[in-house]
Coordinates of all heavy atoms in Angstrom, one line a residue:
M1 N 0.9 -1.1 0.0 CA 0.0 0.0 0.0 C 0.8 1.3 0.1 O 2.0 1.3 0.7 CB -0.9 0.0 1.2 CG -1.9 1.1 1.2 SD -3.1 0.9 2.7 CE -4.4 0.2 1.8
A2 N 0.6 2.3 -0.7 CA 1.3 3.5 -0.9 C 1.2 4.3 0.4 O 0.2 4.4 1.0 CB 0.9 4.4 -2.0
S3 N 2.4 4.8 0.8 CA 2.4 5.6 2.0 C 1.9 7.0 1.6 O 1.6 7.3 0.5 CB 3.8 5.9 2.5 OG 4.6 6.5 1.6
Q4 N 1.6 7.8 2.6 CA 1.1 9.2 2.4 C 2.1 10.1 1.8 O 1.7 10.8 0.8 CB 0.8 9.8 3.9 CG 0.3 11.2 3.8 CD -1.1 11.4 3.1 OE1 -1.8 10.4 3.3 NE2 -1.4 12.5 2.6
Q5 N 3.4 9.8 1.9 CA 4.4 10.5 1.2 C 4.4 10.2 -0.3 O 4.5 11.0 -1.2 CB 5.8 10.2 1.7 CG 6.8 11.1 1.1 CD 8.3 10.8 1.6 OE1 8.3 10.1 2.6 NE2 9.2 11.6 1.2
D6 N 4.1 9.0 -0.6 CA 4.1 8.4 -1.9 C 2.8 9.0 -2.7 O 3.0 9.4 -3.8 CB 4.1 6.9 -2.1 CG 5.3 6.2 -1.7 OD1 6.4 6.8 -1.7 OD2 5.3 5.0 -1.4
A7 N 1.7 9.0 -2.0 CA 0.5 9.7 -2.5 C 0.6 11.1 -2.8 O 0.3 11.6 -3.8 CB -0.7 9.4 -1.7
T8 N 1.3 11.8 -1.9 CA 1.7 13.2 -2.0 C 2.5 13.4 -3.2 O 2.4 14.4 -4.1 CB 2.1 13.8 -0.8 OG1 1.4 13.7 0.3 CG2 2.6 15.3 -1.0
S9 N 3.6 12.6 -3.4 CA 4.5 12.7 -4.6 C 3.8 12.5 -5.8 O 4.1 13.2 -6.9 CB 5.7 11.7 -4.5 OG 6.3 12.0 -3.2
I10 N 2.9 11.5 -5.9 CA 2.2 11.2 -7.2 C 1.4 12.5 -7.5 O 1.2 13.0 -8.6 CB 1.4 9.9 -7.0 CG1 2.3 8.8 -7.0 CG2 0.4 9.8 -8.2 CD1 1.7 7.5 -6.5
A11 N 0.6 13.0 -6.5 CA -0.2 14.2 -6.7 C 0.6 15.3 -7.2 O 0.1 16.1 -8.1 CB -1.0 14.6 -5.3
D12 N 1.8 15.6 -6.6 CA 2.6 16.6 -7.1 C 3.0 16.5 -8.3 O 3.0 17.5 -9.2 CB 3.8 16.8 -6.1 CG 3.5 17.2 -4.7 OD1 2.4 17.8 -4.5 OD2 4.3 17.1 -3.8
F13 N 3.4 15.3 -8.7 CA 3.7 15.0 -10.1 C 2.6 15.3 -11.1 O 2.8 15.9 -12.1 CB 4.2 13.5 -10.2 CG 4.6 13.1 -11.7 CD1 5.7 13.4 -12.3 CD2 3.5 12.4 -12.4 CE1 5.9 13.1 -13.6 CE2 3.9 12.0 -13.7 CZ 4.9 12.4 -14.3
E14 N 1.5 14.8 -10.8 CA 0.2 15.1 -11.7 C -0.1 16.4 -11.8 O -0.4 17.0 -12.9 CB -0.9 14.2 -11.3 CG -0.7 12.7 -11.4 CD -1.8 11.8 -10.8 OE1 -2.8 12.3 -10.2 OE2 -1.8 10.6 -11.1
K15 N 0.0 17.2 -10.7 CA -0.2 18.6 -10.7 C 0.8 19.3 -11.6 O 0.4 20.2 -12.5 CB -0.2 19.2 -9.4 CG -0.4 20.7 -9.2 CD -0.4 21.2 -7.8 CE -0.7 22.6 -7.7 NZ -0.5 23.2 -6.3
S16 N 2.1 19.0 -11.5 CA 3.2 19.6 -12.3 C 3.0 19.3 -13.8 O 3.2 20.2 -14.6 CB 4.5 19.1 -11.8 OG 4.8 19.5 -10.5
L17 N 2.6 18.0 -14.1 CA 2.4 17.7 -15.4 C 1.2 18.5 -16.0 O 1.3 18.9 -17.2 CB 2.1 16.2 -15.6 CG 2.2 15.5 -16.9 CD1 3.5 15.9 -17.7 CD2 2.0 14.0 -16.8
D18 N 0.1 18.6 -15.2 CA -0.9 19.4 -15.8 C -0.7 20.8 -16.1 O -1.0 21.4 -17.1 CB -2.2 19.3 -14.8 CG -2.9 17.9 -14.8 OD1 -2.7 17.1 -15.6 OD2 -3.6 17.7 -13.8
E19 N 0.1 21.4 -15.1 CA 0.5 22.7 -15.4 C 1.5 23.0 -16.5 O 1.3 23.9 -17.3 CB 1.3 23.2 -14.0 CG 1.6 24.8 -14.1 CD 2.3 25.2 -12.9 OE1 2.4 24.6 -11.9 OE2 2.9 26.4 -12.9
L20 N 2.3 21.9 -16.7 CA 3.3 21.9 -17.8 C 2.4 21.8 -19.2 O 2.7 22.7 -20.0 CB 4.2 20.8 -17.7 CG 5.4 20.6 -18.8 CD1 6.3 21.9 -18.9 CD2 6.2 19.5 -18.5
E21 N 1.5 21.0 -19.2 CA 0.7 20.9 -20.4 C -0.1 22.1 -20.7 O -0.3 22.6 -21.8 CB -0.3 19.7 -20.3 CG 0.3 18.4 -20.3 CD -0.6 17.3 -19.9 OE1 -1.8 17.4 -19.4 OE2 -0.2 16.1 -20.3
T22 N -0.6 22.9 -19.7 CA -1.3 24.1 -19.7 C -0.3 25.2 -20.4 O -0.7 25.9 -21.3 CB -1.9 24.6 -18.5 OG1 -2.8 23.7 -18.0 CG2 -2.6 25.9 -18.5
L23 N 0.9 25.2 -19.8 CA 2.0 26.2 -20.2 C 2.2 25.9 -21.7 O 2.3 27.0 -22.6 CB 3.2 26.0 -19.5 CG 3.2 26.6 -18.1 CD1 4.4 26.3 -17.3 CD2 3.0 28.2 -18.1
V24 N 2.4 24.7 -22.1 CA 2.6 24.3 -23.5 C 1.5 24.8 -24.5 O 1.7 25.5 -25.5 CB 2.9 22.8 -23.8 CG1 3.0 22.5 -25.3 CG2 4.2 22.5 -23.1
R25 N 0.2 24.5 -24.0 CA -0.9 25.0 -24.9 C -0.9 26.5 -25.0 O -1.1 27.1 -26.0 CB -2.2 24.5 -24.2 CG -2.6 23.2 -24.7 CD -4.2 22.8 -24.3 NE -4.4 23.1 -22.7 CZ -4.2 22.2 -21.9 NH1 -3.7 20.9 -22.2 NH2 -4.5 22.4 -20.7
N26 N -0.7 27.2 -23.9 CA -0.6 28.6 -24.0 C 0.5 29.2 -24.9 O 0.2 30.2 -25.6 CB -0.5 29.3 -22.5 CG -1.6 29.0 -21.6 OD1 -2.8 28.6 -22.2 ND2 -1.6 29.2 -20.4
L27 N 1.7 28.6 -24.8 CA 2.8 29.0 -25.6 C 2.4 28.8 -27.2 O 2.7 29.6 -28.0 CB 4.1 28.3 -25.2 CG 4.6 28.8 -23.9 CD1 5.7 27.9 -23.5 CD2 5.2 30.2 -24.2
E28 N 1.9 27.7 -27.3 CA 1.5 27.3 -28.8 C 0.5 28.1 -29.4 O 0.5 28.4 -30.7 CB 1.1 25.8 -28.9 CG 2.1 24.8 -28.7 CD 1.5 23.4 -28.7 OE1 0.5 23.2 -28.3 OE2 2.4 22.5 -28.9
Q29 N -0.3 28.8 -28.6 CA -1.5 29.6 -29.1 C -0.7 31.0 -29.5 O -1.3 31.7 -30.4 CB -2.4 29.9 -28.1 CG -3.4 28.9 -27.8 CD -4.3 29.1 -26.5 OE1 -4.2 30.1 -26.0 NE2 -5.2 28.2 -26.4
G30 N 0.4 31.4 -29.0 CA 1.1 32.5 -29.6 C 0.5 33.9 -29.1 O 0.9 34.9 -29.9
E31 N -0.3 33.9 -28.2 CA -1.0 35.1 -27.8 C -0.4 35.8 -26.5 O -0.8 36.8 -26.1 CB -2.5 34.8 -27.5 CG -3.2 34.4 -28.6 CD -4.7 34.1 -28.6 OE1 -5.2 34.3 -27.4 OE2 -5.3 33.4 -29.4
M32 N 0.8 35.3 -26.0 CA 1.3 35.8 -24.9 C 2.4 36.8 -25.4 O 3.1 36.6 -26.4 CB 2.0 34.6 -24.0 CG 1.0 33.6 -23.3 SD 1.6 32.2 -22.8 CE 2.8 32.7 -21.6
S33 N 2.7 37.7 -24.5 CA 3.9 38.7 -24.8 C 5.2 37.9 -24.7 O 5.2 36.8 -24.2 CB 3.8 39.9 -23.9 OG 4.2 39.4 -22.6
L34 N 6.2 38.6 -25.2 CA 7.5 38.0 -25.2 C 7.9 37.8 -23.6 O 8.5 36.7 -23.3 CB 8.7 38.8 -25.8 CG 10.0 38.4 -25.7 CD1 10.1 36.9 -26.4 CD2 11.0 39.3 -26.4
E35 N 7.6 38.8 -22.7 CA 7.9 38.7 -21.4 C 7.2 37.4 -20.7 O 7.7 36.7 -20.0 CB 7.7 39.9 -20.6 CG 7.9 40.0 -19.2 CD 9.4 40.2 -19.1 OE1 10.1 40.8 -19.9 OE2 10.0 39.8 -18.0
Q36 N 5.9 37.3 -21.0 CA 5.0 36.2 -20.5 C 5.6 34.9 -21.1 O 5.6 33.9 -20.3 CB 3.5 36.3 -20.9 CG 2.9 37.6 -20.2 CD 1.6 37.8 -20.8 OE1 1.4 37.8 -22.0 NE2 0.7 38.3 -20.0
S37 N 5.9 34.8 -22.3 CA 6.5 33.6 -23.0 C 7.6 33.2 -22.2 O 7.8 31.9 -22.0 CB 6.7 33.8 -24.5 OG 5.4 34.0 -25.2
L38 N 8.6 34.1 -22.1 CA 9.8 33.8 -21.4 C 9.6 33.1 -20.0 O 10.3 32.1 -19.6 CB 10.8 34.9 -21.3 CG 11.5 35.2 -22.7 CD1 12.2 36.6 -22.6 CD2 12.3 34.2 -23.2
A39 N 8.8 33.9 -19.3 CA 8.4 33.4 -17.8 C 7.8 32.0 -18.0 O 8.0 31.2 -17.1 CB 7.4 34.4 -17.2
A40 N 6.8 31.8 -19.0 CA 6.3 30.5 -19.0 C 7.3 29.4 -19.4 O 7.2 28.3 -18.9 CB 5.1 30.6 -20.2
F41 N 8.2 29.8 -20.3 CA 9.1 28.7 -20.7 C 10.1 28.4 -19.5 O 10.4 27.2 -19.2 CB 10.2 29.3 -21.8 CG 11.1 28.4 -22.2 CD1 10.9 27.3 -22.9 CD2 12.5 28.7 -21.8 CE1 12.0 26.6 -23.5 CE2 13.6 27.9 -22.2 CZ 13.4 26.9 -23.1
E42 N 10.4 29.5 -18.8 CA 11.3 29.2 -17.4 C 10.6 28.3 -16.5 O 11.2 27.3 -15.9 CB 11.7 30.4 -16.8 CG 12.8 31.3 -17.7 CD 13.0 32.6 -17.2 OE1 12.4 33.1 -16.2 OE2 13.8 33.3 -17.7
R43 N 9.4 28.5 -16.4 CA 8.5 27.7 -15.4 C 8.3 26.3 -15.9 O 8.5 25.4 -15.2 CB 7.1 28.4 -15.2 CG 6.1 27.6 -14.4 CD 6.5 27.6 -12.9 NE 5.6 26.8 -12.1 CZ 6.0 26.1 -11.1 NH1 7.1 26.2 -10.7 NH2 5.0 25.4 -10.5
G44 N 8.2 26.2 -17.2 CA 8.2 24.9 -17.9 C 9.4 24.1 -17.7 O 9.3 22.8 -17.4
V45 N 10.5 24.7 -17.8 CA 11.8 23.9 -17.6 C 11.9 23.5 -16.1 O 12.3 22.3 -15.9 CB 13.1 24.9 -17.9 CG1 14.3 24.5 -17.4 CG2 13.0 25.2 -19.4
K46 N 11.5 24.3 -15.3 CA 11.5 23.9 -13.6 C 10.6 22.7 -13.5 O 10.9 21.7 -12.9 CB 11.2 25.1 -12.8 CG 12.2 26.0 -12.8 CD 11.7 27.3 -11.9 CE 12.8 28.4 -11.9 NZ 12.4 29.4 -11.1
L47 N 9.4 22.8 -14.2 CA 8.3 21.8 -14.1 C 8.9 20.4 -14.7 O 8.7 19.2 -14.2 CB 7.1 22.1 -14.6 CG 6.3 23.2 -13.8 CD1 5.1 23.7 -14.7 CD2 5.7 22.7 -12.5
T48 N 9.6 20.5 -15.8 CA 10.0 19.3 -16.4 C 11.2 18.7 -15.6 O 11.2 17.5 -15.5 CB 10.6 19.8 -18.0 OG1 9.6 20.4 -18.7 CG2 11.2 18.6 -18.5
R49 N 12.0 19.4 -15.1 CA 13.0 18.9 -14.2 C 12.4 18.3 -13.0 O 12.9 17.1 -12.6 CB 14.0 20.1 -13.8 CG 14.9 20.4 -14.9 CD 15.8 21.5 -14.5 NE 16.7 21.9 -15.6 CZ 17.3 23.1 -15.7 NH1 17.1 24.0 -14.8 NH2 18.0 23.4 -16.7
A50 N 11.4 18.8 -12.4 CA 10.8 18.2 -11.3 C 10.1 16.9 -11.7 O 10.2 15.9 -10.9 CB 9.8 19.2 -10.6
C51 N 9.4 16.9 -12.7 CA 8.7 15.7 -13.3 C 9.8 14.5 -13.6 O 9.5 13.5 -13.3 CB 7.9 15.9 -14.5 SG 6.4 16.8 -14.2
Q52 N 10.9 14.9 -14.2 CA 11.9 14.0 -14.5 C 12.5 13.3 -13.1 O 12.8 12.1 -13.1 CB 13.1 14.6 -15.3 CG 12.6 14.8 -16.7 CD 13.7 15.7 -17.5 OE1 14.5 16.4 -16.9 NE2 13.8 15.5 -18.9
Q53 N 12.7 14.2 -12.2 CA 13.3 13.9 -10.9 C 12.3 12.8 -10.3 O 12.7 11.7 -9.7 CB 13.6 14.9 -10.1 CG 14.2 14.5 -8.6 CD 15.5 13.7 -8.8 OE1 16.3 14.0 -9.8 NE2 15.7 12.7 -8.1
A54 N 10.9 13.1 -10.3 CA 9.9 12.3 -9.8 C 10.0 10.9 -10.4 O 9.7 9.9 -9.9 CB 8.6 13.0 -9.8
L55 N 10.0 11.0 -11.7 CA 10.0 9.7 -12.6 C 11.3 8.8 -12.2 O 11.2 7.6 -12.1 CB 9.9 9.9 -14.0 CG 8.7 10.4 -14.5 CD1 8.8 10.9 -16.0 CD2 7.5 9.4 -14.3
K56 N 12.4 9.5 -12.0 CA 13.6 8.7 -11.7 C 13.5 8.2 -10.3 O 13.8 7.0 -10.1 CB 14.8 9.7 -11.7 CG 16.1 9.0 -11.5 CD 17.3 10.0 -11.7 CE 18.6 9.4 -11.4 NZ 19.7 10.3 -11.6
S57 N 12.9 8.8 -9.5 CA 12.7 8.3 -8.0 C 11.7 7.2 -8.0 O 11.9 6.1 -7.4 CB 12.1 9.4 -7.1 OG 12.0 9.0 -5.8
A58 N 10.7 7.2 -8.7 CA 9.8 6.2 -8.8 C 10.3 5.0 -9.6 O 10.1 3.8 -9.1 CB 8.5 6.6 -9.7
E59 N 11.2 5.2 -10.5 CA 11.8 4.1 -11.2 C 12.7 3.3 -10.2 O 12.9 2.1 -10.3 CB 12.7 4.6 -12.4 CG 13.3 3.6 -13.3 CD 14.0 4.1 -14.5 OE1 13.4 4.3 -15.5 OE2 15.3 4.4 -14.3
Q60 N 13.4 4.0 -9.4 CA 14.3 3.3 -8.5 C 13.5 2.5 -7.4 O 14.1 1.7 -6.8 CB 15.1 4.5 -7.7 CG 16.1 5.0 -8.6 CD 16.9 6.2 -8.0 OE1 16.5 6.8 -7.0 NE2 17.9 6.8 -8.7
R61 N 12.2 2.8 -7.2 CA 11.5 2.0 -6.3 C 10.7 0.9 -6.8 O 10.3 0.0 -6.1 CB 10.4 3.1 -5.6 CG 11.0 4.1 -4.7 CD 9.9 4.7 -3.9 NE 8.7 5.1 -4.6 CZ 8.2 6.1 -4.9 NH1 8.9 7.3 -4.8 NH2 7.1 6.2 -5.5
V62 N 10.8 0.6 -8.2 CA 10.1 -0.3 -8.9 C 10.8 -1.6 -8.6 O 12.0 -1.6 -8.7 CB 9.8 -0.1 -10.3 CG1 9.2 -1.3 -10.9 CG2 8.8 1.2 -10.5
E63 N 10.1 -2.6 -8.2 CA 10.7 -4.0 -8.1 C 9.8 -4.9 -8.9 O 8.8 -4.7 -9.2 CB 10.6 -4.4 -6.6 CG 11.6 -3.6 -5.7 CD 11.5 -4.2 -4.3 OE1 10.7 -5.1 -3.9 OE2 12.6 -4.1 -3.6
Q64 N 10.5 -6.0 -9.3 CA 9.8 -7.1 -10.1 C 9.8 -8.4 -9.2 O 10.8 -8.7 -8.5 CB 10.5 -7.2 -11.4 CG 11.9 -7.7 -11.4 CD 12.5 -7.8 -12.7 OE1 11.8 -8.0 -13.7 NE2 13.9 -7.8 -12.9
L65 N 8.7 -9.0 -9.4 CA 8.6 -10.3 -8.7 C 9.1 -11.4 -9.6 O 8.5 -11.5 -10.7 CB 7.1 -10.6 -8.3 CG 6.7 -11.6 -7.5 CD1 7.4 -11.5 -6.1 CD2 5.2 -11.7 -7.3
V66 N 9.9 -12.2 -9.1 CA 10.5 -13.3 -10.0 C 10.2 -14.7 -9.2 O 10.4 -14.7 -8.2 CB 12.0 -13.1 -10.0 CG1 12.7 -14.1 -10.9 CG2 12.3 -11.8 -10.7
Q67 N 9.8 -15.6 -10.2 CA 9.6 -16.8 -9.7 C 10.9 -17.7 -9.9 O 11.3 -17.9 -11.1 CB 8.4 -17.6 -10.3 CG 8.0 -19.0 -9.7 CD 6.8 -19.5 -10.4 OE1 6.1 -19.0 -11.2 NE2 6.3 -20.6 -9.7
N68 N 11.4 -18.3 -9.0 CA 12.6 -19.2 -9.0 C 12.2 -20.4 -9.7 O 11.1 -20.8 -9.7 CB 13.3 -19.3 -7.7 CG 13.8 -17.9 -7.1 OD1 14.2 -17.2 -7.8 ND2 13.6 -17.7 -5.8
D69 N 13.2 -21.2 -10.1 CA 13.1 -22.6 -10.6 C 12.4 -23.5 -9.6 O 11.6 -24.5 -10.0 CB 14.4 -23.3 -10.9 CG 15.1 -22.6 -12.1 OD1 14.2 -21.9 -12.9 OD2 16.3 -22.6 -12.3
D70 N 12.5 -23.3 -8.3 CA 11.8 -24.2 -7.3 C 10.5 -23.7 -6.9 O 9.8 -24.2 -6.0 CB 12.8 -24.3 -6.0 CG 13.0 -22.9 -5.2 OD1 12.3 -22.0 -5.8 OD2 13.7 -23.0 -4.2
G71 N 10.1 -22.7 -7.5 CA 8.7 -22.3 -7.3 C 8.5 -21.1 -6.3 O 7.5 -20.5 -6.2
T72 N 9.7 -20.8 -5.7 CA 9.6 -19.7 -4.7 C 9.5 -18.4 -5.4 O 10.1 -18.2 -6.5 CB 10.7 -19.7 -3.6 OG1 11.9 -19.7 -4.4 CG2 10.6 -21.0 -2.9
L73 N 9.1 -17.4 -4.7 CA 9.0 -16.0 -5.3 C 10.0 -15.1 -4.6 O 10.1 -15.2 -3.3 CB 7.6 -15.4 -5.2 CG 6.5 -16.2 -6.0 CD1 5.1 -15.6 -5.7 CD2 6.8 -16.1 -7.5
E74 N 10.7 -14.2 -5.3 CA 11.4 -13.1 -4.7 C 11.4 -11.9 -5.4 O 11.1 -11.9 -6.6 CB 12.8 -13.8 -4.3 CG 13.8 -13.8 -5.5 CD 15.1 -14.3 -5.2 OE1 15.2 -15.7 -5.1 OE2 16.0 -13.5 -5.2
T75 N 11.7 -10.9 -4.8 CA 11.7 -9.5 -5.4 C 13.2 -9.2 -5.8 O 14.1 -9.4 -5.1 CB 11.0 -8.5 -4.7 OG1 11.7 -8.2 -3.4 CG2 9.6 -8.8 -4.4
H76 N 13.3 -8.5 -6.9 CA 14.5 -7.9 -7.5 C 14.2 -6.4 -7.8 O 13.2 -6.2 -8.3 CB 15.1 -8.8 -8.6 CG 15.4 -10.1 -8.4 ND1 16.8 -10.3 -7.8 CD2 14.8 -11.2 -8.3 CE1 16.8 -11.7 -7.7 NE2 15.6 -12.2 -8.1
S77 N 15.3 -5.6 -7.6 CA 15.1 -4.4 -8.2 C 15.0 -4.4 -9.7 O 15.7 -5.1 -10.4 CB 16.3 -3.5 -7.9 OG 16.4 -3.3 -6.5
F78 N 14.1 -3.5 -10.2 CA 13.8 -3.5 -11.6 C 14.9 -2.8 -12.4 O 15.2 -1.7 -12.0 CB 12.5 -2.8 -12.0 CG 12.2 -2.7 -13.5 CD1 11.9 -4.0 -14.3 CD2 12.3 -1.5 -14.2 CE1 11.6 -3.8 -15.6 CE2 12.1 -1.5 -15.5 CZ 11.7 -2.5 -16.3
S79 N 15.5 -3.4 -13.5 CA 16.4 -2.7 -14.3 C 15.9 -2.5 -15.7 O 15.2 -3.5 -16.3 CB 17.7 -3.4 -14.3 OG 18.5 -2.8 -15.3
P80 N 15.9 -1.3 -16.3 CA 15.3 -1.1 -17.6 C 16.0 -2.3 -18.7 O 15.3 -2.7 -19.6 CB 15.8 0.2 -18.1 CG 15.9 1.0 -16.8 CD 16.5 0.0 -15.8
D81 N 17.1 -2.6 -18.5 CA 17.7 -3.8 -19.2 C 16.9 -5.1 -19.2 O 16.9 -5.8 -20.0 CB 19.2 -3.9 -18.8 CG 20.1 -2.7 -19.0 OD1 19.7 -1.9 -19.9 OD2 21.0 -2.6 -18.4
D82 N 16.2 -5.3 -17.9 CA 15.5 -6.5 -17.7 C 14.3 -6.5 -18.6 O 13.7 -7.6 -18.9 CB 15.1 -6.7 -16.2 CG 16.3 -6.8 -15.5 OD1 17.3 -7.1 -15.9 OD2 16.2 -6.6 -14.2
A83 N 13.8 -5.4 -19.1 CA 12.5 -5.2 -19.9 C 12.6 -5.8 -21.2 O 11.6 -6.2 -21.8 CB 12.0 -3.8 -19.9
D84 N 13.7 -6.0 -21.8 CA 13.9 -6.6 -23.1 C 13.6 -8.0 -23.3 O 13.6 -8.8 -22.5 CB 15.4 -6.4 -23.6 CG 15.7 -4.9 -23.7 OD1 15.6 -4.2 -22.7 OD2 16.0 -4.5 -24.8

């Protein structure tokens, strides 16, 4: 079960991602002043970095369940190389 901190981290990630998507839409519309566009771009860079860090942190927590030859189960840290 996810801890309160995990739930908060997920909510923060989703909020940041939503804000980033809104910023991109606003920038694509081209109706903002240069000053507003620069501020939105800078905010977008910060949000992108925060999202990337959250994803990296989540990736480090992911484990995979592996069944051994004798039928027992054990967990191993997930490595992207294992996905192939």
Side-chain angles (χ1 to χ4, degrees):
M1 184 176 266
S3 70
Q4 180 66 27
Q5 184 178 2
D6 289 342
T8 300
S9 295
I10 292 169
D12 289 345
F13 172 80
E14 290 175 354
K15 181 179 175 186
S16 293
L17 190 57
D18 287 343
E19 185 179 347
L20 184 58
E21 289 172 347
T22 300
L23 285 172
V24 170
R25 274 194 304 274
N26 291 342
L27 284 167
E28 287 176 340
Q29 289 175 356
E31 298 177 5
M32 297 167 59
S33 69
L34 179 59
E35 186 78 24
Q36 291 171 323
S37 294
L38 287 173
F41 178 79
E42 289 172 354
R43 177 70 179 145
V45 169
K46 289 179 184 177
L47 289 168
T48 300
R49 288 181 181 152
C51 288
Q52 288 174 332
Q53 183 60 40
L55 288 172
K56 184 176 181 178
S57 176
E59 184 178 271
Q60 291 172 348
R61 293 191 324 250
V62 171
E63 291 184 338
Q64 60 182 338
L65 187 61
V66 178
Q67 184 172 9
N68 297 321
D69 292 335
D70 63 1
T72 61
L73 299 174
E74 74 182 76
T75 59
H76 294 268
S77 295
F78 177 76
S79 169
D81 297 334
D82 296 340
D84 292 62

